[in-house]
Amino acid sequence: MSQNRRIFLSPPHMGANEQKYINEAFEANYITSAGEQLEKFEAEAKEFTKTKYAIAVSCGTAAIHLALRANDIKDGDEVLASSFTFIGSIAPILYERCTPVFIDSDEDSWNLDPLLLLEELASRAKNGTKMPKALILTHLYGQMAKIDEIKAICDKYNILLIEDSAESLGATFHGKHSGTFGQIGIYSFNGNKIITTSGGGMVVTDDEKLAREIKFLSTQAREPYAHYEHETFGYNYRMSNILAAIGRGQMEVLEDRINRRREIFDLYKESLKEINGIGYMPEIPNSVGNRWLSCIVFDEKLPITPEEIRLELENHNIESRPLWKPMHMQPVFKTAKVVASGVSERLFERGLCLPSGTAMSNDDVIRVAEIIKNTIKSKIKI
Ligand SMILES: *Cc1c(COP(=O)(O)O)cnc(C)c1O
């Protein structure tokens, strides 16, 4: 029977207290986008990430949109961004009618290559070309980008740094949290993320003015009058108090979830070690990732494509997925500027995300690895 139970890529995994906090919200009759659960969830997020301000919103994409709006980035401004990422990181650039400029990845982090970033900014500075306003930097699959180098470059050229930490809540570099290096960081609590509120997001910042503006814009930009007075427009982006209750329960188990994701990654690596030609998503020195998804890459020398492996896993009712298709390869961005190295294209062609849900048993992980091994070995024999 258990052979037929579907293994999903990254399903929700509730802790012990989510329902209890939902019940508290019901008892208080705060079935709305304000209330004690929201306040507590935000306080817990601040405490965990050691930031001064946290604003809970409807999703990670909305959080990035608010980051751009609050900084008045709009109408033809250029915004630098990681090319190797998910569309939710980039769509807000289009919401504000801005122009994305994509920066490719490097081999040793799979994340944005600081040298390409520097090359782009230095050449603009030299030629006196207009500078981009911001960088949206993704820490992919829970693993830290080279944040110290990237931050230094942004500071040098006066570029606002927005950290897309949607996938990397709890990841650290020198003990400092992903999302807390730039002026603004964002997290996602979508159903597939390391912790979830079904759908949801959070903005964190140490800047009081930005925090106030983001809260204001997320709640329809209402001026402080008894009636509804508007000097500008905002959004209905606030998180629900019910979903914040789920978030509180999830925060209690976040450390456990990170530890388990890291164990799952290590177990895949151990189980697959006899196969030469499998590479693993790196972890840069002095960082600890959350290993949201265990990602591997198959060397061109192996007689198999990641798609063949994916289909074989699917035959066993196991979900896996190609790595993100880089933004500069997407039809919607076919005319966008990209500083390319070829790294993310190769990762997309040769990579695979393995099931990484924290409720998976070790036997499940080993079974997935066995199927991968057997599929490769069967090809080698022929
Ligand atoms: C999930 C995700 C987002 C968007 O978050 P939502 O809560 O789904 O809107 C943005 N960027 C990255 C890298 C993501 O993985």
Side-chain angles (χ1 to χ4, degrees):
M1 271 308 281
S2 78
Q3 291 295 102
N4 295 325
R5 180 177 46 81
R6 183 158 176 79
I7 298 182
F8 289 99
L9 194 69
S10 180
H13 185 185
M14 290 297 109
N17 291 324
E18 288 84 355
Q19 290 252 239
K20 183 178 130 206
Y21 299 134
I22 290 173
N23 289 344
E24 285 179 15
F26 270 69
E27 278 153 25
N29 201 32
Y30 270 79
I31 320 293
T32 184
S33 56
E36 192 182 14
Q37 301 303 319
L38 261 173
E39 280 158 33
K40 288 188 171 161
F41 183 35
E42 288 174 337
E44 286 153 12
K46 275 192 293 193
E47 193 189 320
F48 181 79
T49 58
K50 301 185 179 67
T51 45
K52 288 198 183 127
Y53 305 95
I55 304 106
V57 294
S58 55
C59 64
T61 310
I64 294 171
H65 187 200
L66 290 164
L68 294 177
R69 251 308 290 277
N71 285 285
D72 206 28
I73 295 169
K74 60 171 196 263
D75 294 332
D77 288 339
E78 286 180 287
V79 178
L80 301 158
S82 306
S83 185
F84 198 29
T85 191
F86 169 65
I87 187 69
S89 188
I90 306 302
I93 298 173
L94 303 185
Y95 299 171
E96 288 304 318
R97 304 158 304 282
C98 295
T99 306
V101 176
F102 295 115
I103 310 285
D104 209 336
S105 298
D106 61 25
E107 288 286 355
D108 37 276
S109 72
W110 294 16
N111 279 302
L112 182 139
D113 182 345
L115 294 177
L116 298 180
L117 176 69
L118 183 59
E119 183 186 302
E120 173 66 15
L121 291 171
S123 92
R124 284 182 188 233
K126 189 163 156 251
N127 302 332
T129 318
K130 202 169 157 219
M131 282 294 187
K133 288 277 170 70
L135 167 64
I136 302 175
L137 170 71
T138 299
H139 301 285
L140 207 64
Y141 300 120
Q143 299 303 104
M144 294 297 296
K146 292 175 179 167
I147 188 66
D148 54 345
E149 290 170 56
I150 294 166
K151 174 78 166 64
I153 296 167
C154 286
D155 286 349
K156 177 169 180 207
Y157 291 99
N158 201 19
I159 307 285
L160 179 87
L161 176 57
I162 300 167
E163 283 179 87
D164 179 347
S165 301
E167 302 175 358
S168 63
L169 176 61
T172 57
F173 178 73
H174 281 291
K176 187 171 163 63
H177 278 269
S178 161
T180 69
F181 292 83
Q183 283 83 351
I184 296 187
I186 76 95
Y187 305 110
S188 166
F189 308 111
N190 192 42
N192 62 353
K193 296 286 156 59
I194 191 156
I195 59 169
T196 181
T197 60
S198 73
M202 187 84 76
V203 183
V204 291
T205 181
D206 283 340
D207 184 322
E208 187 190 353
K209 209 168 137 254
L210 272 180
R212 224 184 304 120
E213 184 69 8
I214 283 166
K215 176 101 178 264
F216 173 73
L217 290 171
S218 72
T219 50
Q220 301 286 25
R222 185 184 180 186
E223 299 297 333
Y225 297 93
H227 68 272
Y228 278 77
E229 177 83 9
H230 300 284
E231 289 171 17
T232 184
F233 64 92
Y235 311 91
N236 183 7
Y237 276 173
R238 192 76 170 128
M239 181 182 274
S240 150
N241 194 49
I242 303 296
L243 302 190
I246 302 175
R248 288 187 61 207
Q250 290 276 277
M251 282 306 288
E252 292 173 359
V253 293
L254 176 55
E255 297 278 10
D256 291 347
R257 298 296 182 260
I258 295 169
N259 293 336
R260 181 61 187 152
R261 296 249 178 191
R262 292 183 61 84
E263 270 173 24
I264 289 170
F265 173 83
D266 291 342
L267 188 52
Y268 275 128
K269 203 168 169 182
E270 174 63 27
S271 309
L272 290 168
K273 68 169 188 251
E274 68 191 78
I275 306 280
N276 288 320
I278 294 185
Y280 299 84
M281 184 164 184
E283 186 156 67
I284 61 161
N286 303 309
S287 78
V288 182
N290 72 19
R291 292 284 180 202
W292 171 52
L293 295 182
S294 287
C295 298
I296 62 176
V297 56
F298 299 92
D299 198 284
E300 285 78 359
K301 291 198 291 283
L302 286 170
I304 196 151
T305 63
E307 181 59 8
E308 288 171 286
I309 305 267
R310 191 187 72 79
L311 291 171
E312 188 54 27
L313 290 170
E314 195 56 52
N315 284 341
H316 290 81
N317 206 11
I318 295 165
E319 185 183 27
S320 62
R321 196 191 285 155
L323 302 189
W324 299 126
K325 181 173 183 176
M327 289 299 130
H328 71 271
M329 294 173 75
Q330 299 285 358
V332 62
F333 295 122
K334 62 178 178 291
T335 61
K337 176 162 188 190
V338 55
V339 188
S341 60
V343 170
S344 64
E345 288 195 33
R346 175 176 174 266
L347 289 169
F348 170 61
E349 272 152 28
R350 302 302 309 176
L352 199 64
C353 305
L354 303 179
S356 308
T358 39
M360 275 177 92
S361 67
N362 285 354
D363 285 349
D364 285 339
V365 177
I366 289 165
R367 186 159 72 88
V368 173
E370 285 298 321
I371 294 166
I372 295 171
K373 269 196 286 197
N374 292 337
T375 312
I376 294 173
K377 282 183 189 162
S378 72
K379 294 279 175 172
I380 290 170
K381 269 192 215 117
I382 291 167

